[in-house]
Amino acid sequence: MVAYNDRMVIDEGKVFKALADASRRKLLDRLRKKGGLTLGKLCEKHDMSRQAVTKHLALLEAANLVVTMKRGREKLHYLNPVPVNNIYMRWIGKFEQKRVAALHNLKQALQENDHD
C-alpha cells in the first residue's frame, strides 16, 4: 500500500536532501515494496541501529516522503510518492520524458547484455 499526502507543501530542498542518502533510499525502496511497516520491521534488514533508522525516518517524514498511521500501539510507515512525482514532473517530465525513457531503456538493455 502506498499512502498519498498531497496536502502538505513540498519542500524540494528537503526531498533532495532526504534522497541523497543511500540508507534512506533503501528505506524508501522497502516501503515501496511493502508499506505499513513498523520501526522494528524496518530495522530488521538494515545494518544500523534502531536509533539511526529513527533519525532517517524523521528526515523522510520531514520531506513528506514517508507518512505514518497509528494502528493501536503500532506506528505504521508508508511511502508517499507525491514529492518524488512533483520533482519528476518539474525537472524531467515536461521536457525530456521521451529521451530519458529511451536512455533508460538503452541502459537496461546494456545491463541485461552484461549479465548474459
Side-chain angles (χ1 to χ4, degrees):
M1 180 176 150
V2 175
Y4 296 94
N5 184 358
D6 61 354
R7 295 181 189 171
M8 296 180 70
V9 175
I10 306 294
D11 181 340
E12 288 182 353
K14 287 182 180 180
V15 175
F16 280 115
K17 180 179 178 181
L19 293 173
D21 183 82
S23 296
R24 289 191 286 272
R25 290 192 306 271
K26 285 180 186 177
L27 288 169
L28 291 174
D29 284 338
R30 295 240 355 253
L31 292 173
R32 180 180 48 81
K33 291 175 186 168
K34 182 176 181 356
L37 297 176
T38 63
L39 176 61
K41 288 285 183 190
L42 284 168
C43 290
E44 283 178 2
K45 294 188 179 185
H46 289 280
D47 57 348
M48 63 179 118
S49 69
R50 184 178 180 97
Q51 198 172 23
V53 173
T54 301
K55 287 182 180 182
H56 285 301
L57 284 172
L59 246 165
L60 292 168
E61 285 183 60
N64 198 25
L65 289 165
V66 169
V67 294
T68 60
M69 293 173 38
K70 287 280 204 171
R71 185 179 68 195
R73 293 188 298 175
E74 293 182 317
K75 183 178 180 182
L76 305 176
H77 300 83
Y78 295 91
L79 171 67
N80 178 21
V82 174
V84 173
N85 185 63
N86 288 352
I87 287 172
Y88 170 80
M89 291 306 298
R90 177 177 176 194
W91 294 97
I92 300 167
K94 293 179 184 175
F95 308 106
E96 299 290 333
Q97 190 169 11
K98 289 181 183 177
R99 280 186 255 175
V100 171
L103 288 172
H104 174 75
N105 292 338
L106 177 61
K107 179 182 175 188
Q108 295 282 86
L110 291 172
Q111 287 176 338
E112 287 174 10
N113 285 341
D114 285 345
H115 293 301
D116 292 337

